[in-house]
Amino acid sequence: MARYTCSFIVSVPIEHLQALLIELLQDCDLDVQYYTADYIMAREIPGNVSFSKLVSVEVLIDKSTATEAETRLSIVMKNEELPLQLNNHCRQMFDFVKQAIEHSRHWHLIESLAGS
């Protein structure tokens, strides 16, 4: 199973963050399937890749440490594909969504920490 994680600290009012993230995920051709005040789950829309390569995304919004100035959020992207190649489909989608978050005009990116 391929799995990639990243944490961000963004400057945006917490009450707007969830709606902005849902819009960003939809703009990345992901179907938002479930969300709460501090969690969003989306999946890649079937049709372009095999079922095992379909990517799911979980976004966790850390409301417990959020301030007026900044909010921490984490993303986890995964699929059933074995990551036999460094540049696999899950990694490509991860890089695409990560770049969309980092370059969004809706907030100021304070920090981005990529995991593995």
Side-chain angles (χ1 to χ4, degrees), residues 54-83:
L54 289 176
V55 174
S56 65
V57 182
E58 294 180 75
V59 180
L60 304 159
I61 302 168
D62 188 356
K63 295 183 113 183
S64 65
T65 61
T67 66
E68 288 290 319
E70 59 187 48
T71 304
R72 179 179 299 273
L73 60 110
S74 301
I75 62 169
V76 177
M77 296 187 68
K78 57 189 173 184
N79 68 4
E80 297 300 320
E81 175 185 24
L82 291 174

Side-chain angles (χ1 to χ4, degrees), residues 41-59:
M41 191 196 71
R43 292 188 59 117
E44 190 172 8
I45 299 169
N48 295 328
V49 295
S50 66
F51 186 75
S52 65
K53 291 184 178 184
L54 289 176
V55 174
S56 65
V57 182
E58 294 180 75
V59 180

Side-chain angles (χ1 to χ4, degrees), residues 4 21 24-25 28-34 39-44 54-60 74-79 90 93-94 97-98 101:
Y4 302 95
L21 284 168
L24 181 136
L25 292 170
C28 291
D29 290 330
L30 295 164
D31 179 31
V32 175
Q33 297 188 324
Y34 178 78
Y39 176 81
I40 302 169
M41 191 196 71
R43 292 188 59 117
E44 190 172 8
L54 289 176
V55 174
S56 65
V57 182
E58 294 180 75
V59 180
L60 304 159
S74 301
I75 62 169
V76 177
M77 296 187 68
K78 57 189 173 184
N79 68 4
C90 190
M93 285 297 295
F94 171 76
V97 172
K98 181 176 177 282
I101 292 171

